[in-house]
Amino acid sequence: MIEDYYGQQANYEYMSASQLKQLLGTPGIQACEERALAELSGQYVRPQSNALTVGSYVDVMLTGTEDEQHEFRESHPEMISSRGPTKGQLKAEYRSADDMIARAFADADNGGIFMRALTGERQRVLTGEIHGHRFKARLDVLGDGFITDLKTVENVNKRYYNDGWWDFIGWWGYDLQGAIYQELVYQTTGNRWPFYIAALSKQTPCDIDLIQVPQDRLDEAMERVTPDALDRIAALKSGELEPTRCEHCDWCRMTKVIRKPRILEVV
Ligand SMILES: [Zn+2]
């Protein structure tokens, strides 16, 4: 059992979907080995946007117990207004979170199945092995016969461009994440269950969607998780290999050293 799921020790001992997204990259995430390792060692901290806080707030309000909800509010005083007529309510920049929560409950009131896709074991930690390397995953929802990940997104229909057009699932590597989750669930239960994304948008009015990522998309994503790719990641984590730099990301911009002028290339 993993003592501290997000702790440094667990991150060195186990690979995870989020490590693969950073190290292999996705159409929307520039791969950078040096940044990923700097993050593991604690030298680099990814800038936290309030999008992340909104996501976990929506998650705990939709699926958490009353105690967990109370605890979350206590530990995020920055979200709650402390004075004026809105005292005790969410601050303006977080208010979209309440719209998303209301939208999900409205679906249930109207006979929709969105909330049912969030019913099951929550935050279940699974471990397993892929090509001889240990993996961990923490699932939003492990349902009876399905896996669901709750996402707060910009717009469920948005298409993104990078050498071709991508939906938000491919863009952010949620297909890769689903493939890893499905494999670890299979290794634990013997069942290969469908992977759903339960999405709420930050738009006004808020959009709601329940998307099954087709099995061929999950299989295709898993094809990138080759023995060679994982061996390389293991060697990087143990320090046997020097990480490469992407020279484009936040980390590479922060740590760049100018040793000679570059000749301007014709675009
Ligand atoms: Zn980089």
Side-chain angles (χ1 to χ4, degrees):
M1 200 56 216
I2 302 177
E3 293 237 337
D4 177 9
Y5 183 83
Y6 294 111
Q8 196 180 48
Q9 197 190 341
N11 285 336
Y12 274 105
E13 276 177 33
Y14 295 87
M15 298 191 189
S16 65
S18 62
Q19 287 176 25
L20 293 191
K21 287 186 214 167
Q22 301 297 321
L23 283 154
L24 304 178
T26 74
I29 302 170
Q30 169 82 52
C32 183
E33 292 178 350
E34 203 180 278
R35 181 192 65 221
L37 290 186
E39 200 174 347
L40 272 180
S41 69
Q43 281 174 283
Y44 173 67
V45 179
R46 241 186 285 173
Q48 294 277 331
S49 63
N50 71 12
L52 219 84
T53 320
V54 166
S56 9
Y57 176 76
V58 170
D59 182 49
V60 76
M61 294 310 282
L62 287 182
T63 67
T65 61
E66 262 180 48
D67 280 352
E68 288 167 330
Q69 294 172 358
H70 181 74
E71 203 177 297
F72 187 88
R73 289 175 83 101
E74 295 275 286
S75 58
H76 290 86
E78 77 280 7
M79 294 184 77
I80 318 279
S81 167
S82 58
R83 62 178 90 89
T86 59
K87 189 174 171 183
Q89 294 174 16
L90 285 188
K91 282 187 190 163
E93 63 264 41
Y94 294 106
R95 218 157 291 156
S96 65
D98 274 343
D99 293 343
M100 290 188 231
I101 293 156
R103 186 65 195 82
F105 284 125
D107 183 69
D109 290 344
N110 292 317
I113 60 159
F114 185 86
M115 290 298 287
R116 248 189 276 164
L118 298 180
T119 309
E121 242 185 296
R122 300 174 44 248
Q123 305 298 330
R124 167 83 183 266
V125 172
L126 296 176
T127 56
E129 225 179 84
I130 299 175
H131 303 312
H133 297 281
R134 289 202 285 172
F135 270 78
K136 64 180 173 113
R138 184 176 205 151
L139 276 51
D140 281 352
V141 180
L142 179 58
D144 186 11
F146 60 89
I147 305 158
T148 307
D149 207 64
L150 179 64
K151 301 282 188 203
T152 53
V153 306
E154 236 181 296
N155 171 343
V156 296
N157 297 309
K158 187 166 171 182
R159 294 290 182 269
Y160 301 80
Y161 191 82
N162 181 358
D163 266 347
W165 289 96
W166 303 85
D167 50 47
F168 79 93
I169 289 170
W171 183 254
W172 296 117
Y174 297 156
D175 43 7
L176 179 62
Q177 186 183 341
I180 300 286
Y181 286 9
Q182 189 188 55
E183 176 60 25
L184 297 188
V185 169
Y186 174 71
Q187 292 183 13
T188 308
T189 69
N191 299 303
R192 202 167 284 285
W193 282 336
F195 176 67
Y196 300 140
I197 300 268
L200 291 162
S201 85
K202 293 166 196 161
Q203 295 157 295
T204 312
C206 161
D207 201 359
I208 186 165
D209 214 349
L210 181 62
I211 305 160
Q212 180 178 349
V213 183
Q215 191 59 42
D216 58 352
R217 284 279 298 271
L218 299 177
D219 294 344
E220 206 178 295
M222 204 58 167
E223 279 171 22
R224 301 185 60 209
V225 187
T226 60
D228 281 354
L230 298 189
D231 289 349
R232 177 168 179 90
I233 291 171
L236 286 165
K237 285 168 87 171
S238 68
E240 284 162 59
L241 274 182
E242 279 295 306
T244 58
R245 291 163 59 84
C246 76
E247 300 299 354
H248 296 289
C249 71
D250 289 6
W251 170 259
C252 290
R253 285 208 303 276
M254 277 162 60
T255 54
K256 180 156 94 177
V257 179
I258 301 300
R259 304 199 188 278
K260 61 172 198 258
R262 72 184 173 99
I263 314 249
L264 187 62
E265 286 170 32
V266 180
V267 200

